[in-house]
Amino acid sequence: MSHEVPPRLSVLRLGHRRDRDKRITSHLGLTARAFGADEVILAGERDPSALETWDSVTGRFGGEFMSRFEESPMSWLRKVSKSGEVTIVHLTMYGRPWRESIPSIPTDKPALVVVGGTKVPAEVYHLADYNISIGNQPHSEVAALAIFLDSLIGPFDEGSKFSGAKMKVIPSAEGKVVVNDDEE
Ligand code: SAM
């Protein structure tokens, strides 16, 4: 990373619904990983398949991305907020513009990025240190997270972030080029 960013970035996905949100929640975690976050925390309905997908991708494509389920996200968030040890960033269309907010996010402590699905409890807006919008139009948590992380972190060295990969994509203008260490 070419500039200062918080030492650890976690993403909390609130309000997951196993049937309706399976695909978008899965994509949210993969986007968190691919764009440089260190951890995704799932809340809402328990869904081991989401965690399995994220862990399986990390197993094949490398890095140390973590995933876990949080049973009581609101009491956990209250605790995190009270500790003052983590910056809570809530992505919402009602927040302040991201380009002007990002430079003031502290880089000397971890950050927790909170994204919703269904309606987010009003308390989240108060617990958050920053309510940040990626434009003030409604769109998607996946788009919001990708743009936020890219703006916060910028380009990074995938080789070191995703070290230990069994599968590695070699950028190519012609088609799929993949090195697979599992193949003989
Ligand atoms: N009314 C919601 C809101 O507060 O942004 C939109 C719900 S949207 C289906 C689900 C999640 O996507 C939101 O909880 C928020 O995290 C994210 N999101 C959607 N649009 C956004 C925007 N313009 N800026 C930041 N986050 C957004």
Side-chain angles (χ1 to χ4, degrees):
M1 282 158 212
S2 53
H3 59 282
E4 285 289 299
V5 295
R8 185 168 175 79
L9 279 163
S10 303
V11 175
L12 172 63
R13 197 289 188 262
L14 290 175
H16 173 65
R17 297 160 297 180
R18 216 171 12 245
D19 294 331
R20 283 194 57 173
D21 297 331
K22 206 170 250 320
R23 202 170 145 79
I24 196 159
T25 294
S26 165
H27 288 181
L28 186 83
L30 295 179
T31 299
R33 175 183 173 277
F35 284 77
D38 301 292
E39 178 187 32
V40 64
I41 300 160
L42 180 65
E45 292 179 6
R46 201 176 270 281
D47 189 354
S49 75
L51 275 66
E52 280 160 23
T53 299
W54 299 328
D55 293 350
S56 155
V57 168
T58 297
R60 284 176 289 140
F61 288 89
E64 293 180 1
F65 187 71
M66 310 288 288
S67 71
R68 70 174 183 88
F69 180 75
E70 174 55 52
E71 185 83 55
S72 312
M74 290 310 297
S75 53
W76 180 69
L77 262 184
R78 279 179 217 119
K79 231 184 285 166
V80 171
S81 164
K82 204 169 169 197
S83 79
E85 287 168 4
V86 174
T87 306
I88 301 178
V89 176
H90 173 215
L91 297 183
T92 167
M93 63 184 279
Y94 304 106
R96 303 274 305 148
W98 86 102
R99 289 193 185 90
E100 66 184 48
S101 306
I102 280 178
S104 58
I105 294 176
T107 56
D108 61 350
K109 59 179 177 176
L112 173 66
V113 185
V114 182
V115 297
T118 50
K119 203 167 181 293
V120 171
E123 189 183 356
V124 173
Y125 291 80
H126 304 297
L127 292 173
D129 298 294
Y130 295 83
N131 287 293
I132 292 183
S133 62
I134 310 295
N136 296 111
Q137 304 298 315
H139 50 82
S140 149
E141 51 270 48
V142 176
L145 182 67
I147 289 183
F148 176 76
L149 289 176
D150 186 61
S151 305
L152 178 70
I153 300 173
F156 59 88
D157 176 10
E158 291 199 14
S160 64
K161 183 81 185 174
F162 303 122
S163 62
K166 293 182 188 130
M167 294 181 72
K168 206 169 163 197
V169 173
I170 310 299
S172 162
E174 264 84 57
K176 281 190 195 175
V177 184
V178 181
V179 176
N180 189 342
D181 280 355
D182 270 352
E183 282 177 0
E184 293 172 4

